Amino acid sequence: MKRAQTIDLKWLLLGTLVTSIAMSFIWPLNTIYMHETLHQSLVTAAIVLCINQIATMLGNLVGGRLFDHWDPYYTMLLGVSMSVVALGGLILWHGWPSYAVLITLAGFANGISATCENSFATHVTKRPASYVFNATYFMLNLGIVIGTAVVGYILPLGIQVVFAVAVLTQIVFLFVVYRFYRIQISTAKNQNAKASTRPRGYELKILGALIAVLCAWLVYTQWQSNLSTFMVSQGYQVKDYSLLWTFNAIVIVIYQPFITHFDHFLMTHLRARLNVGLILFIGSFVFLLGNRQYIGYFVAMGILTLGEILLYPGISSWVAAKTPPQMSGYFQSQVQMFTAAGKALGPIFGAVVISQLNYHWLFALCIVVLIVAFGCFNVISNHWRKNK
């Protein structure tokens, strides 16, 4: 079958949505299922999740390498097929330690797929990469909204049903990939020897952005993990905490299309976009430090969410703009790897600080981490602007 020269944006967005829904069936249950059903300690669960993120990083690396030097289409098929196998295995083998092994395999597969999705996004010719990344980020979060909402209704039917539905979504995605991702991309293996190397200059040019996304995810995970225990210690219920994430999703669904509408302006001022995103992240933790009321958590979450809308898609756009398109797989895999590293280190960082100090020290140190990220990004960006 003859391959197209570019991927249609609607199929890329559908792929992002379906994958996000599938993963959203699993990740909210991981810690609870391992602790409450499989009777593993919270420490063991945290270690498994950390290993899962390391596996995702390896998947990012492998996916980027294969995308550039083998075949993007078959690399994507490989990642999604592995995901089907891993999630399908959970239907039959969801005890201990098979559960830990299979979700780690699923993390590796998702790492391959996520890198390919980002890399394919740089090859959509009818829209600029920044627009595509904004749109895919919207679909990613829409999938999270749908997945986390639906899982609450199907979980009472049994954990096997949850895994079965997740597998069905990935089978749908596999068909979409097989039918609509069959495109021909001029990858690094088709380029001359100079283009197929990894120029050190490009890696240093995007280093500031990679440090920023690592630090941003390291502190963002505090909201996903340790803030829940902090709120419970303050007398709030788990449902009060979960409402914050419902609010997070609503803000993203409302404002992400607005951001996408002004894509050309934001792309023209891309560095400012990333700086504002980091400043909003800092502002959310500053607000947490002085907050004593429930409404204050919503204000802090709103500030954080506006920051992530600007920052996370903006990082991918920055990397795409600063690196050669024939090496999109390699460089977009760096974004995914630094993201996974932040997710892996975040819970450990938070747990250590809380155990040795307290939650307010954690919030303060998160501010310090973000200021360091802000400084690194701008110092490196200034260096390259002066020496280009």
Side-chain angles (χ1 to χ4, degrees), residues 36-285:
E36 298 294 336
T37 303
L38 300 182
H39 308 296
Q40 301 301 309
S41 69
L42 289 175
V43 173
T44 300
I47 292 172
V48 170
L49 296 182
C50 182
I51 293 173
N52 178 269
Q53 288 301 323
I54 293 172
T56 302
M57 291 175 64
L58 291 175
N60 297 146
L61 184 62
V62 171
R65 181 73 178 177
L66 294 179
F67 189 96
D68 286 336
H69 295 276
W70 180 41
D71 188 297
Y73 171 64
Y74 287 114
T75 302
M76 193 66 176
L77 280 177
L78 174 65
V80 182
S81 298
M82 288 181 65
S83 182
V84 170
V85 171
L87 296 178
L90 285 172
I91 299 175
L92 301 174
W93 304 290
H94 45 269
W96 186 264
S98 56
Y99 182 84
V101 173
L102 288 170
I103 66 166
T104 300
L105 177 61
F108 179 78
N110 190 50
I112 294 176
S113 300
T115 292
C116 287
E117 285 280 296
N118 265 29
S119 302
F120 272 118
T122 66
H123 293 278
V124 176
T125 57
K126 294 182 180 180
R127 294 283 189 175
S130 56
Y131 179 95
V132 177
F133 285 125
N134 285 332
T136 54
Y137 192 72
F138 171 80
M139 298 303 285
L140 175 70
N141 284 279
L142 181 61
I144 292 174
V145 173
I146 296 172
T148 52
V150 172
V151 73
Y153 291 96
I154 64 176
L155 183 58
L157 301 177
I159 193 69
Q160 296 97 325
V161 177
V162 174
F163 297 142
V165 174
V167 170
L168 286 176
T169 62
Q170 286 296 276
I171 291 175
V172 170
F173 185 31
L174 184 62
F175 172 78
V176 171
V177 172
Y178 174 77
R179 181 66 180 83
F180 300 107
Y181 280 59
R182 190 187 294 268
I183 69 172
Q184 184 66 50
I185 294 177
S186 297
T187 58
K189 70 177 182 179
N190 305 120
Q191 308 300 318
N192 56 41
K194 182 179 179 180
S196 65
T197 59
R198 299 198 298 266
R200 184 172 178 81
Y202 288 116
E203 294 178 331
L204 292 176
K205 186 181 294 187
I206 66 172
L207 180 60
L210 295 177
I211 292 173
V213 76
L214 169 67
C215 293
W217 273 108
L218 186 144
V219 302
Y220 192 88
T221 56
Q222 308 313 316
W223 281 84
Q224 295 176 322
S225 55
N226 294 311
L227 189 69
S228 60
T229 56
F230 175 69
M231 289 182 65
V232 170
S233 72
Q234 299 297 306
Y236 296 102
Q237 299 181 18
V238 174
K239 68 177 182 179
D240 297 323
Y241 168 75
S242 65
L243 280 176
L244 291 176
W245 290 104
T246 303
F247 178 65
N248 170 271
I250 291 172
V251 173
I252 290 175
V253 170
I254 291 175
Y255 282 98
Q256 187 69 51
F258 179 78
I259 294 295
T260 302
H261 180 73
F262 290 96
D263 174 69
H264 178 72
F265 173 83
L266 291 171
M267 190 61 191
T268 306
H269 302 86
L270 186 53
R271 181 178 171 184
R273 169 183 178 164
L274 300 187
N275 278 326
V276 171
L278 287 169
I279 291 171
L280 288 170
F281 265 60
I282 293 170
S284 69
F285 283 94

